[in-house]
Each structure stands twice: as structure tokens, then as C-alpha cells.
């Protein structure tokens, strides 16, 4: 009973709860339905109201267009208020346009104050409402301006409309209401305009102008009209002038207007009156002084980022080029601002492409995103930047340096000047010659004299300017050559800058700059930047000048000055390396080293080609070769760097020794040297004398690299098919090598040609007629490398340009094909340089960018560039033509042959081994010393056998005959007869292995069993078994041995020796 009661109670409560929930849900549904109905009704009501208002607006403007009476300002105000209430940019674009036109039309009506829209500002009840309305209307104008494209005709009309609205209501000058008695209202109205302008600024007015200017100007041809550009610039300037050039508004103007690409150039072209306004307000000075505060400049740069910072810089430079007075008065601030901005850009300049970099046409690889819309305006930006290294600005900035006169040698100055003939004048507006022609006197050699305090204002100013240009070079990487060319345009700038450098510090020159390297102060960095700029510019100048301009005309630098400068550079680079500065160099110090070293090497290579410096000029007397060799053995870094960068400071003989040591070490490492425990692997080859080249090529070209470097033994077979007598202890191989090289380099074979004039060898352009010609060149390279590897000198005179390629110099950025051209064809070089100096219109000569050549009776046209035979040579491209022609003749024509030969040569000789030699020194390494045979040196290092000795009468006769009776050619033939080489060893006969020896013989070679006690005694006491007058002297080239019979008369010795050396039958002559 009790449990049933409980159950019914629970059911009752559950039903009550369910009923309560149902009632609540019903109320929720009813409330939701009411809300939905309200929202829908509200939406429908709003839509109806919007339609009604829009219809009312259209009716208003429709009747207005139909020519009804002029609408009052109040009616316009009311209809505008309604339109703004429902305004949607997408739907109401045309209505808003009609409103703007209506308002502007009202402002143009004469003598009807009630029609003037601005008259509402005078109504006590409507002033605030009118101000709010005009603010909203003008901001909507700005919003539309952001979206419009000025290059579209329809949009350009709307741009003019909205700009007119902004111009009209931000300045009272056009308001008719203020004329006459209304003039008293002008201060109040100006205040309203300032209020409107302030509102627009807060909303982002300058950003709107920046977008509009960028859309209209950031292109190759501007799409903004003169009127639009004038209006925009006037609008941009109004807040700045109104605020009396406050920092905030100057900042906004710089960030949003002055950073528009090339805007100053467009103003100068389209509306030059605006530039006059800038000048009247002295804006350039105000910009520079504002940015001269580091915090302000940093803030502006950070806001703009890299690309637009560069655009701002270009506009400032352009303004500077138009304001000489301000530039002269504010040079320090101007230079400081530009350095800061360039340094900011430089932080984002990258040395290489990566996933994080983007290509910039002026800065190169750039680690910020690049607005590719700006790319079209980059040529204009570059033109603006060019003013920075133009003559006009350089004269202003470097005035302190250029105003000084160089010391003149009075005695020489009294000599009459040589007339300048038309043939010697230079092309391209006489780029480098004007200053040279003006001065007939010759200045003294500029030497470090010292005496100028480095902390003086003058020195600091010049240092800052040098820092500016050095920063420009390292930042604007893609126009670096343009900058260098601009800086070298004035012939007297670099010599005077060098004179200025020489005057610095107590002693001047070297000591001061070496001290700067050890001081990490700002002053030291600035001084080093000056040196770096001088080196970069001078190197560029000397690279682009040809030999006539450097040696005969001596443009910019006298040869004596180049001697002084090169001495300074040589010492500076040596100290940097030897004092350990380069080892740990990073950043600016490393850049300085490469700059100074680059200028040094350009001068050194010039001197190697054509000497201007005295003998031993490049050597360092304070560097002992023995100390250097010891440090190299210990792998000291400074010794390795010295050898890598300035090997020329070491005497040539010591470098050859070093080279031989490197070869010896490699031989030991490869096991190619005979030791007590092991013998090197020997490769045996058999060569028919009648087919020496073919047999050598077939048997040696298959050998591995190590086998080629190893011992090769040669067995000769004579014309009768019989093996020749003789044991090859390198002597026969030397003879084989010399003979095979003689054959392959014979011009008649057409693998190699000789240059016109001095008849030096280089690969023949027509050598492709040979089958497998590239493999032949590789084989020749290996043979040449083997000769150098073994220290065998071969008489092969190479053309200088080919030796440069063998050394890899042609890969250097400072290599000039034109400079090397005389070593190929001096006449062709003269003809090309005459084109360079041609004063008239070069197109009259009918040349094209092609080269016609007679190839085996057929005329072949080689195009220097694609389509070159249709491109005429003009005054603009003639310098390119000269370089293209020189490059074609010396590189393109023989590219594959040269590459094959160099590949073969480097398989034996490592490139780093010969990098320590210049081209003439490499020739000496290959061909031995050009000097005559030093008989005293040969006599000193001769060993005697068979009873001969230094005082023996036959030996005395021999040396006397060689010294007095034989010609230099016969002495060379004698040397070839006994050693198989006609030239002496590069390091002297002390290095001839085995040493030269002379042995007394009594019998023929086939009966010769060596020295016996009897034969030695008979030789010593000049006792003969029988008269040997019928026998000839013989030789064993493998031992460098001369076998000499014990002749009774000097005349017989002379006759027999002369006959023997004139024959060439190897070991078989007896």
C-alpha cells in the first residue's frame, strides 16, 4: 500500500514538470517568432526606406539636370544627408558622383550666397552638422581614390572629380563667400579647413595619396595628368605648411609622398612649378635636417622598408642636384642621411639567391619581398640615383679635394706641351682625356708626406663622402659599374684623392692605415673606407684604359705615380697578411683587403705585360725565403695566404724551388720515388722514330693520371726496325718528349698557329679538321704538363694571352681581352683601337657586330652576338664591339681546343701550383731561361771520369772552344747533344739531374766496358793507345754524359765536336 502511494506521487510530479516545460517552450517559440517578424519587418522597412531615399536622390539630381532653377545649399545639404544615411560604395557610386558635381557646381555660381554649399558653415544651427557632412563626403572621396586606376579613361575623370572636391574644401582660396565683406570670415573658415584637414589626416589621408600616386606614377610612362599631379602634390603639401613643418607631418610627407618612385622627376617633367614651391618653402633643407636626426631617419626607414627607402633616397638625391646652395651648406647632413639610408637597405642585400630572397633590379638579391609593380619605374629611379655620382654633384661634394693643386715639377713644366693630334683623341666625348689635355706640365711623384691631422674637419668631411660612395657601391650592386665609371669621369679626382691620402697623419700613407687596421674606432673605419674607395675606383679606371692611354697618354695617373701607389699597395697587402690580420678578417676588413689586393694585382699584371716599375720593385726585401719555406712546412696560415695572394713578393727562383718541392712531395705521396724498400711502377713504351707522334699518342693517352705522373721508359725503334742502343734513365724519355712536343707544335701540322710579329704559339682555330682533335689537344696538354712536372724544359714559345688562359686569369672580373690582344695580332689591335678613337660617326664605316674570316678559301661570317650581322656598329656600341671582337679572336674561336689542352695540362699540374707565376714566368717554367748558357756555372757543376780533370788539356780546350769558338746557337746545340734539352735549367746547372759529366773514352761505344785502372791512368797522363782522330764525341743523354776521346789537337776536337752536335741520330752516332 505504501509503495503504490509513492509511485503515483512520482508520476504526478513528472507530469507536472513536463507540462511546465511545454509551456516554457511555447513561450520561447512565441518570443522567437515575434523577434523574427520584427527583424524581417525592420529589414523590409529599411530596404523600403533606402529605395525611397535613393529614388528621392535620383529625382533630385534628375530634375537638377533637366535645367530647373538652381537648388539652394540647404536642399543639397538635406539630400546629401539622406544619401549619406543609406550610403553604400558599391550601390551609390553614381549617385555620390552626382552629389559631388552638384556641390562643386554650387560653388561656381556667381553672387548667390544661398546656393553656395559652403554658406551653410555660417548657419548657427547647421555649422557642426555641415562640418561632419563635408568630412564624411571628403573621406568617401578618398576611399574612391584608393580604388580608381588613373590609366583607365573613365577612372581618370573620377580621379579629377574627387581631387577637385578635396582641393576645394581643404582651402578657402576659391570660396566666393569670402570675397569683399566676407574677408573678415576668412580666419574662421581657415580654422574649419584645418579641422577638416586634421580629420582626413587622422583617417589616413597620406596613405590615400600614396596609393593614388603609386598607381599613376610607378610605371614607365605616368598615367596622371598635369592637373591631377598638381592637385595631389598641393593637397599633400597643405597640412605640412599649415602645421608649420612640424615633425609629425614632415614624417608623413616623407613616408607617403617622397617615397613614391621618381615623383620628383615626374614633377620636373609635368609640373615644374611644384618644384619651385618646394624651393620656396626650403623643403629640401627641412627634409635633410629632419632626417639628420638618427632616430627620425631610422623610424622613416623602418616604415618604408628597403625598396621604398631607395625610392625616397632617389628623390632626395634628385632634389639635391637642383639645390646647389643647400647642398654646399648642408653637405655633412646630406651625406650622413644618405649613408644611414643606404646602410639600412644594405642590411637586406644578400650575396646569393635563396628561398628567402627576391630579385631587385638595383639592389640584387634582396631579403625582403619586392613590390614588382615598382619594377617599371626602376629605370627612372636609376636615373635619379645617377645624379649622386654625376660630375655636378661630385664637384660639389669633393670640392675640398678637387680645389687643391697638385705639385708641379717646375723644370719640366717649362717644356712646351706636345700638340694633341686628332688621331690620339678619345671617343665617347673624350671621357678620360680632358683634364690631361688641359695640363702641359708633369707633376712630381706623389709620395707619402704626412702632416694633416686626421681629426680635422676637412679630413672628416672627405672621409664621410668616401664612406657614402663606398656604401653606395656595396649596396647598389646591380649598377656598381655605372657608379665606378661616374666616379672616374673626372681625370683629376683620383690623383688628388691620392695626394690627399698621402698627406694624412704624422708620416702619411702606409703607417696610418696599418694603425687603423688595429683600431676598431669609427674614425679608423672612415679612413679605411677612403682607401677602399680609392682602390676600387682606380682599379676600375686602369682596367678600362688601354695601353696607349696608360703608357703614352698617361691619363689620370703618371707612370711614376703608379710606381709609388703600387709600392704602397704591395707593402699594405704584405703587412695585412704577414701580421695575421687577413687570417681572422671578417666583414669590412676582408672587403678592404680584397679591394686593395685587386688594385695591386691589376697593376702587377699590367707591369708583367709591359713594364713600368723598376727591377725588383715587387719583391719584399724584409721577407726571407727560408723563413717562408719553414712556415709553409709547418702549415702556417700566413705563409699559405702570402703564396695564394701575393707570390710575386718572393723572388722567382725561390718560387720555382717551391714548385719543385711541391712536385717532389706529391711524387713521394704517390710512391713515384725510388726508396730502399720499394721501387716505383714503370710504364714501358716502344716508339718508332718514323711514327713518333702516332705511337706516343696511342700508347700514352690511355694511361691513368698517376701512371702519367710516374716513370715512363721509352725504347726507340729506328727506320730499319731495329731497337736503338741505350738504357733510358729518363734521358731517352726526355728526348722523346722534346721531339714529340716539337712535332705537335709545328704550325705545319695545324694544331697550333703562330701570332703575327713575334711568332708565338696558340691553338689553331681551324684545328678541327683533324680527326679527334680535342683528344689530341688533351694529349698535348698532358705532354706539356709532364714536361713541367719532370722539370724538362721545352722550347715552345706561347702567346701571352694563351698563357693567361692556362693560368686561369681570363676568369677574373678584371680581365680585359683588349689588353691581351696585341699578343695575338698587334696590327689588328691598332685597327680596333683606331675605331675607339674615331671622332666621326662610326656607322659610316659600315661595320656590323660580326667578324668575316677566310677559312681555307671560303669567307665565313661569325656573329659576335645573336643576329650580329644585322646590327650596325654605332658610336654607342663601338666599345662593346671592340671587346666582343677581342674576346672572339682570343677565346670563342679556340674555346674547345683551349679547354681540352688545359684539362690535359691540369691532370698533371695542379692549378694552385702555377698560380704563383705570372704569364712570362710560366713561359720560363715551360721553356727554361732565355739567358745564354752560363759556361762558368756549367764548368762549376761538371763531374769528370776516365782520367779527365779540370786541368786536363782536352778539358781546357773544350771550355775554350765552347766559350770563344762556338756561337750561342752552337752552345745550345751542344747542350741539347749532351742533355737532350737546348735550354739551361731554370735554377742553374746545380739542379741538372744527374749532374753533367765528361768521360775520357778510348774505344767505340759498342766496345766500351767502362773505366779501368789502365784507362784512367792513360787518360790522366794523356797516354794514347792510338790516335783517336777518326772518332767522334758521343753522349748518353740519360746520364747527361759527354764521351770525349783523348784528342791530340785542339783543332781536331773543335771539328769533331761541331760535326757531332750538328747530327741528330740519338745514341747511335759514334
Amino acid at each position: 500500500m505504501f509503495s503504490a502511494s509513492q509511485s503515483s506521487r512520482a508520476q504526478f510530479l513528472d507530469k507536472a514538470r513536463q507540462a511546465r516545460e511545454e509551456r516554457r517552450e511555447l513561450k520561447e517559440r512565441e518570443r522567437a517568432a515575434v523577434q523574427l517578424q520584427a527583424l524581417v519587418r525592420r529589414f523590409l522597412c529599411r530596404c523600403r526606406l533606402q529605395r525611397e531615399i535613393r529614388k528621392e536622390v535620383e529625382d533630385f539630381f534628375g530634375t537638377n539636370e533637366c535645367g530647373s532653377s538652381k537648388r539652394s545649399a540647404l536642399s543639397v545639404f538635406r539630400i546629401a544627408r539622406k544619401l549619406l544615411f543609406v550610403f553604400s560604395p558599391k550601390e551609390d557610386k553614381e549617385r555620390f558622383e552626382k552629389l559631388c558635381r552638384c556641390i562643386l557646381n554650387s560653388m561656381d555660381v556667381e553672387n548667390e550666397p544661398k546656393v553656395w554649399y559652403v554658406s551653410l558653415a555660417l548657419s548657427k544651427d547647421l555649422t557642426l552638422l555641415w562640418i561632419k557632412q563635408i568630412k564624411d563626403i571628403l573621406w568617401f572621396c578618398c576611399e574612391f581614390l584608393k580604388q580608381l586606376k588613373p590609366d583607365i579613361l573613365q577612372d581618370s575623370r573620377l580621379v579629377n572629380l574627387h581631387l577637385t572636391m578635396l582641393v576645394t574644401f581643404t582651402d578657402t582660396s576659391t570660396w566666393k563667400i569670402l570675397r569683399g565683406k566676407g574677408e573678415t570670415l576668412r580666419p574662421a573658415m581657415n580654422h574649419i579647413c584645418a579641422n577638416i584637414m586634421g580629420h582626413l589626416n587622422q583617417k589616413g589621408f597620406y596613405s590615400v595619396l600614396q596609393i593614388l600616386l603609386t598607381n599613376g606614377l610607378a610605371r614607365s610612362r605616368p598615367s596622371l595628368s598635369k592637373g591631377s599631379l598638381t592637385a595631389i602634390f598641393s593637397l599633400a603639401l597643405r597640412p605640412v605648411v599649415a602645421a608649420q613643418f612640424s615633425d609629425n607631418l614632415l614624417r608623413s610627407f616623407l613616408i607617403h609622398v617622397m617615397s613614391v618612385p621618381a615623383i620628383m622627376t615626374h614633377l620636373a617633367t609635368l609640373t615644374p612649378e611644384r618644384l619651385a614651391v618646394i624651393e620656396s618653402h626650403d623643403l629640401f633643407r627641412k627634409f635633410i635636417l629632419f632626417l639628420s636626426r638618427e632616430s627620425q631617419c631610422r623610424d622613416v626607414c623602418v616604415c618604408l622598408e628597403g625598396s621604398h627607402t631607395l625610392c625616397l633616397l632617389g628623390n632626395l638625391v634628385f632634389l639635391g642636384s637642383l639645390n646647389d646652395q643647400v647642398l654646399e651648406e648642408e653637405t655633412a647632413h646630406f651625406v650622413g642621411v644618405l649613408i644611414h639610408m643606404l646602410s639600412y637597405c644594405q642590411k637586406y642585400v644578400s650575396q646569393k639567391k635563396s628561398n628567402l630572397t627576391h630579385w631587385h633590379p638595383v639592389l640584387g638579391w634582396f631579403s625582403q619581398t619586392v613590390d614588382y609593380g615598382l619594377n617599371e619605374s626602376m629605370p627612372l629611379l636609376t636615373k635619379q640615383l645617377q645624379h649622386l655620382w654625376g660630375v655636378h654633384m661630385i664637384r660639389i661634394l669633393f670640392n675640398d679635394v678637387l680645389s687643391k693643386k697638385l705639385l708641379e715639377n717646375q723644370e719640366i713644366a717649362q717644356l712646351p706641351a706636345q700638340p694633341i693630334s686628332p688621331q690620339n683623341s678619345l671617343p665617347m666625348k673624350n671621357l678620360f682625356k680632358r683634364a690631361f689635355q688641359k695640363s702641359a706640365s708633369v707633376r712630381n711623384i706623389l709620395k707619402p708626406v704626412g702632416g694633416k691631422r686626421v681629426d680635422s674637419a676637412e679630413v672628416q668631411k672627405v672621409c664621410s663622402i668616401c664612406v657614402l660612395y663606398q656604401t653606395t657601391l656595396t649596396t647598389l650592386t646591380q649598377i656598381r659599374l655605372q657608379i665606378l665609371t661616374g666616379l672616374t669621369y673626372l681625370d683629376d679626382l683620383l690623383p688628388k684623392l691620392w695626394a690627399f691620402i698621402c698627406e694624412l697623419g704624422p708620416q702619411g700613407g702606409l703607417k696610418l692605415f696599418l694603425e687603423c687596421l688595429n683600431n676598431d674606432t669609427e674614425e679608423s673605419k672612415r679612413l679605411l673606407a677612403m682607401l677602399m674607395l680609392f682602390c676600387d675606383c682606380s682599379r676600375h679606371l686602369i682596367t678600362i684604359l688601354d695601353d696607349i692611354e696608360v703608357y703614352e697618354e698617361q691619363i689620370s695617373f703618371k707612370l711614376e705615380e703608379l710606381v709609388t701607389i703600387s709600392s704602397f699597395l704591395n707593402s699594405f697587402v704584405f703587412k695585412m697578411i704577414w701580421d695575421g690580420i687577413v687570417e681572422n678578417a671578417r666583414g669590412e676588413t676582408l672587403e678592404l683587403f680584397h679591394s686593395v689586393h685587386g688594385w695591386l694585382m691589376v697593376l702587377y699584371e699590367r707591369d708583367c705585360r709591359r713594364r713600368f716599375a723598376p727591377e725588383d720593385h715587387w719583391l719584399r726585401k724584409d721577407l726571407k725565403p727560408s723563413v717562408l719555406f719553414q712556415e709553409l712546412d709547418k702549415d702556417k696560415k700566413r705563409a699559405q695566404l702570402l703564396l695564394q695572394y701575393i707570390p710575386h713578393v718572393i723572388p722567382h727562383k725561390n718560387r720555382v724551388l717551391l714548385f719543385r718541392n711541391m712536385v717532389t712531395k706529391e711524387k713521394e705521396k704517390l710512391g713515384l720515388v725510388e726508396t730502399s724498400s720499394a721501387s716505383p711502377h714503370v710504364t714501358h713504351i716502344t716508339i718508332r722514330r718514323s711514327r713518333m707522334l702516332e705511337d706516343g699518342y696511342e700508347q700514352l693517352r690511355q694511361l691513368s693520371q698517376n701512371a702519367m705522373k710516374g716513370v715512363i721508359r721509352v725504347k726507340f725503334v729506328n727506320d730499319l726496325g731495329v731497337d736503338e742502343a741505350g738504357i733510358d734513365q729518363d734521358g731517352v724519355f726526355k728526348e722523346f718528349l722534346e721531339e714529340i712536343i716539337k712535332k705537335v707544335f709545328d704550325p705545319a701540322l695545324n694544331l697550333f698557329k703562330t701570332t703575327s710579329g713575334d711568332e708565338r704559339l696558340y691553338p689553331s682555330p681551324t684545328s678541327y679538321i683533324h680527326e679527334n682533335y680535342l683528344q689530341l689537344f688533351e694529349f698535348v696538354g698532358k705532354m706539356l704538363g709532364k714536361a713541367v712536372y719532370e722539370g724538362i724544359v721545352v722550347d715552345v714559345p706561347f702567346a701571352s694571352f694563351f698563357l693567361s688562359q692556362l693560368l686561369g686569369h681570363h676568369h677574373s672580373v678584371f680581365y680585359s681581352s683588349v689588353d691581351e690582344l696585341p699578343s695575338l695580332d698587334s696590327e689588328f689591335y691598332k685597327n680596333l683601337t683606331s675605331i675607339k678613337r674615331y671622332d666621326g660617326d662610326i656607322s659610316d664605316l659600315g661595320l656590323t657586330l660580326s667578324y668575316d674570316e677566310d677559312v681555307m678559301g671560303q669567307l665565313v661570317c661569325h656573329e659576335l652576338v645573336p643576329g650580329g650581322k644585322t646590327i650596325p656598329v654605332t658610336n654607342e656600341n663601338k666599345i662593346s664591339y671592340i671587346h666582343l671582337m677581342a674576346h672572339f679572336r682570343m677565346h670563342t674561336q679556340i674555346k674547345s681546343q683551349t679547354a681540352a689542352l688545359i684539362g690535359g695540362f691540369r691532370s698533371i699540374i695542379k692549378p694552385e701550383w702555377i698560380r704563383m707565376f705570372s704569364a712570362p714566368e710560366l713561359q720560363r717554367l715551360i721553356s727554361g731561361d732565355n739567358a745564354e748558357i752560363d759556361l762558368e756555372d756549367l764548368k762549376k757543376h761538371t763531374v769528370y771520369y776516365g782520367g779527365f780533370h779540370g786541368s786536363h788539356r782536352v778539358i781546357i780546350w773544350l771550355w775554350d772552344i765552347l766559350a770563344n769558338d762556338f756561337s750561342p746557337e752552337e752552345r745550345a746545340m751542344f747542350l741539347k747533344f749532351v742533355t737532350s734539352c737546348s735550354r739551361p735549367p731554370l735554377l742553374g746547372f746545380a739542379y741538372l739531374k744527374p749532374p753533367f759529366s765528361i768521360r775520357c773514352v778510348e774505344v767505340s761505344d759498342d766496345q766500351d766496358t767502362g773505366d779501368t785502372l789502365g784507362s784512367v791512368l792513360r787518360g790522366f797522363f794523356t797516354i794514347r793507345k792510338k790516335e783517336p782522330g777518326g772518332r767522334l764525341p758521343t753522349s748518353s743523354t740519360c746520364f747527361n754524359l759527354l764521351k770525349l776521346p783523348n784528342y791530340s789537337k785542339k783543332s781536331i776536337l773543335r771539328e769533331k765536336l761541331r760535326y757531332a752536335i750538328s747530327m741528330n741520330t740519338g745514341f747511335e752516332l759514334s
Side-chain angles (χ1 to χ4, degrees), residues 53 87 302 329 368 379 408 448 571 628 685 777 804 814 977:
I53 290 174
F87 186 73
V302 169
E329 293 169 2
Q368 286 184 334
E408 305 289 343
S571 300
L628 178 69
I685 60 172
F777 272 104
S804 293
F814 308 113
F977 177 70

Side-chain angles (χ1 to χ4, degrees), residues 413-472:
Q414 293 169 4
L415 295 174
Q418 293 185 347
I420 305 294
S421 64
Q423 290 82 1
N424 290 335
S425 60
L426 295 180
M428 295 183 70
K429 302 177 184 177
N430 293 323
L431 264 184
F432 300 107
K433 197 170 182 180
R434 284 192 290 275
F436 174 71
Q437 291 178 351
K438 288 174 187 172
S439 173
S441 53
V442 181
R443 54 185 176 267
N444 284 330
I445 302 171
L446 295 172
K447 293 184 177 178
V449 291
K452 189 167 285 189
R453 289 180 61 87
V454 294
D455 57 355
S456 66
E458 180 193 4
V459 173
Q460 290 301 308
K461 180 183 174 184
V462 175
C463 284
S464 294
I465 294 163
C466 290
V467 170
L468 167 61
Y469 283 109
Q470 193 56 43
T471 312
T472 307

Side-chain angles (χ1 to χ4, degrees), residues 33-49:
V34 170
Q35 275 189 330
L36 283 172
Q37 288 171 3
L39 284 170
V40 170
R41 280 197 301 271
R42 187 168 66 189
F43 173 74
L44 292 173
C45 182
R46 196 164 60 243
C47 288
R48 186 170 61 251
L49 180 62

Side-chain angles (χ1 to χ4, degrees), residues 809-1011:
H809 289 173
H810 60 298
H811 294 305
S812 166
V813 292
F814 308 113
Y815 179 81
S816 171
S817 300
V818 177
D819 291 339
E820 294 273 19
L821 189 58
S823 68
L824 171 68
D825 190 335
S826 56
E827 196 61 37
F828 187 69
Y829 170 75
K830 286 178 184 175
N831 293 338
L832 277 185
T833 50
S834 69
I835 291 173
K836 180 180 176 181
R837 288 164 169 74
Y838 188 71
D839 282 336
D841 186 355
I842 203 75
S843 57
D844 294 342
L845 301 180
L847 298 170
T848 61
L849 295 182
S850 60
Y851 172 62
D852 295 329
E853 182 186 26
D854 184 359
V855 179
M856 293 178 285
Q858 287 188 335
L859 193 66
V860 178
C861 177
H862 303 282
E863 292 189 328
L864 303 179
V865 294
K869 61 184 177 184
T870 62
I871 303 173
V873 177
T874 63
N875 286 349
E876 286 71 35
N877 66 8
K878 65 181 178 182
I879 299 298
S880 296
Y881 170 73
I882 291 166
H883 283 271
L884 286 168
M885 185 68 85
H887 187 267
F888 176 80
R889 287 290 307 273
M890 294 190 296
H891 298 274
T892 311
Q893 262 195 318
I894 55 171
K895 185 178 180 180
S896 54
Q897 294 94 322
T898 303
L901 188 144
I902 290 174
F905 184 79
R906 289 182 177 175
S907 68
I908 309 296
I909 302 294
K910 293 180 180 178
E912 56 268 26
W913 288 353
I914 56 170
R915 221 169 266 152
M916 56 180 143
F917 301 108
S918 64
E921 289 169 341
L922 179 61
Q923 182 66 66
R924 289 169 65 191
L925 191 68
I926 293 169
S927 300
D929 240 326
N930 289 327
E932 280 194 27
I933 297 167
D934 186 347
L935 288 175
E936 288 302 316
D937 183 45
L938 180 60
K939 190 190 299 186
K940 182 180 176 182
H941 296 100
T942 299
V943 181
Y944 302 101
Y945 298 104
F948 277 162
H949 50 86
S951 301
H952 196 287
R953 67 174 188 176
V954 174
I955 299 301
I956 293 171
W957 290 342
L958 173 68
W959 294 122
D960 186 58
I961 289 167
L962 288 172
N964 301 315
D965 296 345
F966 276 20
S967 66
E969 291 76 18
E970 286 176 318
R971 285 194 284 273
M973 289 167 65
F974 169 77
L975 190 63
K976 182 177 174 65
F977 177 70
V978 292
T979 68
S980 82
C981 297
S982 57
R983 290 173 180 248
L986 203 54
L987 299 173
F989 288 102
Y991 290 86
L992 186 65
K993 301 295 180 186
F996 176 60
S997 50
I998 304 174
R999 178 169 164 239
C1000 179
V1001 292
E1002 298 178 319
V1003 292
S1004 61
D1005 281 0
D1006 53 353
Q1007 297 173 331
D1008 189 7
T1009 56
D1011 290 342

